[in-house]
Amino acid sequence: MVAHVVTDIALDKVFDYAVPTGMAGDMAVGSRVKVPFGRREVLGYVVELSSDKPLSGLKSITEKVGREPLILPSLVALAKWMADYYLAPFETSLKTVLPNAVRKSKKEFGIERLCVVQRAEANEEELAAAKKRAPKQAEALLLLKKEGSLFIAETEKKFRISAAVWRALEKRGLAEIRAQHHERDPFAQAIFTPSLPLDLNEEQASALASITEEMGKPHPKPVLLYGVTGSGKTEIYLQAIAKCLEQGKGAIVLVPEIALTPQSVERFKSRFMSYNVSVAVLHSHLSDGERADEWRRIREGRARVVIGVRSAVFAPVRQLGILVVDEEHETSYKQQEAPRYHARDVAVMRGHIESAAVVLGSATPSMESFFNAKKGKYALETLACRVDSQKMPVMHIVDMRHEAMKAKGPPVLSRRLYDGIISRLEKKEQVMLFLNRRGFSSSVICMKCGYVALCPRCSVSLTYHRQHEKMLCHLCGHSAKAFSKCPECGDEGIRFAGLGTEKIEQTVCRLFPRACIRRMDSDTMTKKSAYETTLGEFKLGKIDILVGTQMIAKGLHFPNVTLVGVIYADMALHMPDFRASERVFQLLTQVAGRAGRGDVEGEVFVQSYTPFHSSIQFAKRHDYDGFYEDEIEFRAQLGYPPCRRIILLLFKSRSEEKVSFIVADALKHLVSALDGAAEVSGGVPAPIAKIEDFYRYHILIKTARMAEARSRLRAFLKSYKMPEEVSLSVDVDPVYLM
Ligand code: ADP
Ligand code: ZN
């Protein structure tokens, strides 16, 4: 037998090793192995096995680590697809499917939490024979007879009886190795009351029926669940997962980090309590140890439902029945380092590999997913009404050009928004104000000489943060003391221009002195507990006005919030990104979804300097379909996704001269390498031309023949020699174009 092995050392290569006959029995795809490598010994994974006879001279695997494969075979297949699709090295891709702490652990996987129980009692003859042949086994049998059950890790420490001894006994049918069922649980202190499934309304019932129908098929089609905010999508996920559990299968639910609040975790835990199923939670604040614990719980089948962020798509759930991607349009599902995967697309592929149902949920589906649904690649299920037929909030678009004229300068709050807040505060209702930029003001400008404070290392202006009297670069974190005089001309007329959440907070505090006001952005929420405390207080009604960035825009459910203000809706429209309109539409719709989720009808004020922009107008009418039709035409005309696919190449170097030279050269060669399979453009500085002293250049590849373009590009990347000072990264289906 020959094993193809990928090693932990960064080499994009598969090596062949002979499998010694003694190991052949339990060697599997995904097994962790030790192999000779040069003069060293290194760890690796078996990625393929073949029954070929090893060529003479082929080196052998020296050791198999662990009882069961470390990586599930289906995840090896997924990693392989990912490496191929995202043009990443296979071993980088394999590393991605395992948490670091598990990968680095020298311990045999799972063993420290495994226990051994007696299966059958050895008779006297057997014992006597064992004493001669394998004295350790005999000792182990006697010990087990006395104790009934033991922790393997402890027998190793106390009695020097290793896991191998127990495994030998297990093979002879005398003992059984089992997972132990108590472990630390990050949510252990919380007390949940079991929740029962709700009676579904007609739309929900038909969506659930369609999902369960797919679940029964050998090749389920992904279901796009397009449901307005508050239409009860989560309840559908819960009931679909319950169906899986009944069939003995497991589930993975992906949510954006922001949505992974105790509120939503609680909903899952309390529902599955009645199924006696433990829910594993994978968020990015877990310590390495906690993460490894959760991983083992899942791998050993002790937690069958997983809820987590992006990388939870690789959770080692066996017998996976369903994958849910909530808020599937969220950009945080895209990983920004190699492999630059999109968790939604990986989920679809994993579903395909494991014949699991896939549900993509959103109130504002991405153009990509809706396009796939229209083409019949995904099944489409629509929830058009809010549960209990609550009305969608009224959207007021405030023309700020007008307001600026009246106020002789752009005001932070328009008169209409101000009046709206006053009347809500009088009724003891709550308000959320939203602006997607932290800090006090977005730039520091001298009114006399025109000097603008720029980051010395990046090509962006510094943001003024009043709280610490500092100017910060939001890209690299560079920080400088704020100045009161212009460093160029010495004039004192230095101005802080543009808006940030700090300034909103300050203005609102001045305008509504008796209201309790809190700000929520990554500056005030440096600790996870701060986030929970603030949300808790807001829920209890202790806070009247919550000011924040996108942190407050999504997923939160507060029945007493009746007014939402969007301070500056145009901000994202001016980004040099073909998805700018889509982002603004999504944002306004999501923000609007925060208003009026209780008994009182909600209203939304959208302040804008381009009030007639299509994103704003369609959002005002809650018209997703109209927006889609309008936008898809624009994408088709310019050959952007989803009509065509794109790949972005980013060249970086400390030397601008070198990078611009290489880019021009690469562009020329790429055009001929792609040979008409794609359109190549760019070769120019990226929108953000410099970050942390690295000059950045882009080449954009657009194609209608993705597979061909990718394979031609792969060949190009293999053969093209880059000088050391220039690095190149490849992003297939990029989400960030800056
Ligand atoms: P979404 O995920 O679409 O935003 P949720 O699933 O959070 O919506 O549902 C919004 C609220 O409606 C929740 O409080 C939920 O418990 C409730 N809800 C959902 N479905 C039903 C139903 N069929 N009957 C009664 N209440 C429901
Ligand atoms: Zn910087």
Side-chain angles (χ1 to χ4, degrees), residues 455 457-458 473 475-476 478:
C455 174
R457 310 178 60 204
C458 310
C473 171
L475 289 178
C476 73
H478 170 86

PDB file of all heavy atoms in Angstrom, residues 455 457-458 473 475-476 478, ligand 2:
ATOM      1  N   CYS A 455      -1.526  59.290   7.103  1.00  0.00           N
ATOM      2  CA  CYS A 455      -0.704  58.293   7.772  1.00  0.00           C
ATOM      3  C   CYS A 455       0.642  58.245   7.060  1.00  0.00           C
ATOM      4  O   CYS A 455       0.691  58.208   5.835  1.00  0.00           O
ATOM      5  CB  CYS A 455      -1.367  56.922   7.717  1.00  0.00           C
ATOM      6  SG  CYS A 455      -0.305  55.620   8.374  1.00  0.00           S
ATOM      7  N   ARG A 457       2.525  55.832   6.802  1.00  0.00           N
ATOM      8  CA  ARG A 457       2.797  54.510   6.234  1.00  0.00           C
ATOM      9  C   ARG A 457       1.730  54.042   5.244  1.00  0.00           C
ATOM     10  O   ARG A 457       1.907  53.057   4.548  1.00  0.00           O
ATOM     11  CB  ARG A 457       2.905  53.492   7.371  1.00  0.00           C
ATOM     12  CG  ARG A 457       3.845  53.943   8.486  1.00  0.00           C
ATOM     13  CD  ARG A 457       3.895  52.939   9.593  1.00  0.00           C
ATOM     14  NE  ARG A 457       4.372  51.659   9.115  1.00  0.00           N
ATOM     15  CZ  ARG A 457       4.111  50.507   9.695  1.00  0.00           C
ATOM     16  NH1 ARG A 457       3.347  50.469  10.769  1.00  0.00           N
ATOM     17  NH2 ARG A 457       4.586  49.393   9.213  1.00  0.00           N
ATOM     18  N   CYS A 458       0.560  54.736   5.258  1.00  0.00           N
ATOM     19  CA  CYS A 458      -0.522  54.291   4.382  1.00  0.00           C
ATOM     20  C   CYS A 458      -1.041  55.494   3.601  1.00  0.00           C
ATOM     21  O   CYS A 458      -0.898  56.628   4.048  1.00  0.00           O
ATOM     22  CB  CYS A 458      -1.691  53.719   5.185  1.00  0.00           C
ATOM     23  SG  CYS A 458      -1.209  52.490   6.405  1.00  0.00           S
ATOM     24  N   CYS A 473      -4.624  55.898  12.381  1.00  0.00           N
ATOM     25  CA  CYS A 473      -4.810  55.317  11.054  1.00  0.00           C
ATOM     26  C   CYS A 473      -5.666  54.065  11.247  1.00  0.00           C
ATOM     27  O   CYS A 473      -5.301  53.187  12.012  1.00  0.00           O
ATOM     28  CB  CYS A 473      -3.475  54.940  10.435  1.00  0.00           C
ATOM     29  SG  CYS A 473      -3.678  53.986   8.925  1.00  0.00           S
ATOM     30  N   LEU A 475      -6.144  51.794   9.206  1.00  0.00           N
ATOM     31  CA  LEU A 475      -5.605  50.632   8.482  1.00  0.00           C
ATOM     32  C   LEU A 475      -4.481  49.952   9.250  1.00  0.00           C
ATOM     33  O   LEU A 475      -4.458  48.745   9.395  1.00  0.00           O
ATOM     34  CB  LEU A 475      -5.091  51.048   7.108  1.00  0.00           C
ATOM     35  CG  LEU A 475      -6.165  51.409   6.097  1.00  0.00           C
ATOM     36  CD1 LEU A 475      -5.514  51.848   4.803  1.00  0.00           C
ATOM     37  CD2 LEU A 475      -7.068  50.219   5.839  1.00  0.00           C
ATOM     38  N   CYS A 476      -3.503  50.755   9.716  1.00  0.00           N
ATOM     39  CA  CYS A 476      -2.333  50.125  10.340  1.00  0.00           C
ATOM     40  C   CYS A 476      -2.254  50.402  11.834  1.00  0.00           C
ATOM     41  O   CYS A 476      -1.387  49.872  12.515  1.00  0.00           O
ATOM     42  CB  CYS A 476      -1.052  50.596   9.659  1.00  0.00           C
ATOM     43  SG  CYS A 476      -0.605  52.292  10.071  1.00  0.00           S
ATOM     44  N   HIS A 478      -1.440  53.216  13.231  1.00  0.00           N
ATOM     45  CA  HIS A 478      -0.509  54.302  13.542  1.00  0.00           C
ATOM     46  C   HIS A 478      -1.237  55.379  14.357  1.00  0.00           C
ATOM     47  O   HIS A 478      -2.360  55.744  14.045  1.00  0.00           O
ATOM     48  CB  HIS A 478       0.029  54.911  12.247  1.00  0.00           C
ATOM     49  CG  HIS A 478       0.805  56.182  12.463  1.00  0.00           C
ATOM     50  ND1 HIS A 478       2.143  56.183  12.770  1.00  0.00           N
ATOM     51  CD2 HIS A 478       0.405  57.478  12.447  1.00  0.00           C
ATOM     52  CE1 HIS A 478       2.540  57.441  12.921  1.00  0.00           C
ATOM     53  NE2 HIS A 478       1.513  58.241  12.729  1.00  0.00           N
TER      54      HIS A 478
HETATM   55 ZN    ZN B   2      -1.522  53.622   8.413  1.00  0.00          ZN
END
